[in-house]
Amino acid sequence: MEPIRLMNVLLIGIFLAAVIWLFRGDRQAGHVRTVTWLFLGATSISWMEAVWDWVLYYRFNPDVFWLWPDTIPVLGMAGGWPIIMPMIYGPWFVLLNYVTAKQLVVRNMSLKNIAFFALILGAVEEFALEIPFLFLDVYAYTRSIPGANFFTGTQQQYPFEVPILMAPVMAFITVFIAVSMRRQKALADGTATAARSTNTLWSKFSELRAFGGSDDRKGINAISVIVASHIVFCIPMIPALIIRFAGWRTQIGDIAPFGYMPYTFPF
């Protein structure tokens, strides 16, 4: 195996370590925890990476990842989708946000403040995670909005809007992990209050373990967290699509990195 291909082995190792950590935590807790359900939700949206990459004129380096053929519908939108992508999304969106949520809860922040800081920290986390991979030539943003990018005109150029657009996805994970942690802390401290019996859709939704509640029904938790994760990921897709179809991404970094042919512009 070529040394650069070891990236695949490393990422698979991180995924397996995360699954083992989640399994052990769930077994100790006696139920599937919120963080595990959100890990499932994040993993389920990994196929949307192909659409996201197409929207952002984004290319993966085929010398790093084993890619599915670009002839596969949807997955071929970005010229090739990493085979191990489902193993990347869970750790990418959950592990660091788990630490973030834990720190915010330890500081006894209100849920409103947690949501506010989760958005800010989500953007910072996305930026911090992506920059090293850009400089390792793992992938590239071939086009961006002029004057709205880091490392302008290079293969490592990074659009300003990407961490901002991804912040709600990061915050979604952080907030619900924090809700679960706050609930567990209240139970441990003996300060938890009885839940009010209501029949609203929101109350039923919030009582699911996947979103910090105590309802452990596996089927409804799995379906709900998968659907919610897809809806949340569609939020940044909307402005990103508007930017693409408006033809604003005219700043070229490396229009054909890693030997790829250029994308059709702007569509």
Side-chain angles (χ1 to χ4, degrees), residues 41-53:
T43 301
S44 74
I45 60 175
S46 59
W47 71 273
M48 294 182 73
E49 174 71 25
V51 184
W52 182 243
D53 297 343

Side-chain angles (χ1 to χ4, degrees), residues 102-149:
K102 190 172 184 178
Q103 292 303 312
L104 294 177
V105 170
V106 165
R107 285 164 173 73
N108 291 315
M109 288 188 176
S110 67
L111 193 56
K112 180 179 179 180
N113 285 339
I114 287 176
F116 174 74
F117 280 101
L119 278 170
I120 296 174
L121 293 173
V124 173
E125 289 167 2
E126 180 71 17
F127 176 83
L129 286 168
E130 286 214 57
I131 295 301
F133 288 104
L134 285 172
F135 280 89
L136 287 171
D137 291 338
V138 174
Y139 52 74
Y141 292 90
T142 63
R143 286 184 176 272
S144 63
I145 301 172
N149 48 76

Side-chain angles (χ1 to χ4, degrees), residues 48-168:
M48 294 182 73
E49 174 71 25
V51 184
W52 182 243
D53 297 343
W54 176 81
V55 171
L56 295 174
Y57 296 96
Y58 177 109
R59 292 291 199 187
F60 280 105
N61 186 348
D63 291 331
V64 174
F65 291 113
W66 297 297
L67 304 176
W68 287 109
D70 59 9
T71 53
I72 296 179
V74 181
L75 298 187
M77 289 181 72
W81 187 73
I83 291 173
I84 67 165
M85 186 55 71
M87 297 187 182
I88 296 174
Y89 259 52
W92 185 281
F93 285 104
V94 174
L95 296 185
L96 187 55
N97 288 318
Y98 176 85
V99 176
T100 298
K102 190 172 184 178
Q103 292 303 312
L104 294 177
V105 170
V106 165
R107 285 164 173 73
N108 291 315
M109 288 188 176
S110 67
L111 193 56
K112 180 179 179 180
N113 285 339
I114 287 176
F116 174 74
F117 280 101
L119 278 170
I120 296 174
L121 293 173
V124 173
E125 289 167 2
E126 180 71 17
F127 176 83
L129 286 168
E130 286 214 57
I131 295 301
F133 288 104
L134 285 172
F135 280 89
L136 287 171
D137 291 338
V138 174
Y139 52 74
Y141 292 90
T142 63
R143 286 184 176 272
S144 63
I145 301 172
N149 48 76
F150 299 98
F151 319 117
T152 302
T154 70
Q155 185 168 290
Q156 290 75 34
Q157 73 175 10
Y158 184 56
F160 285 163
E161 77 273 13
V162 171
I164 297 172
L165 293 177
M166 292 309 295

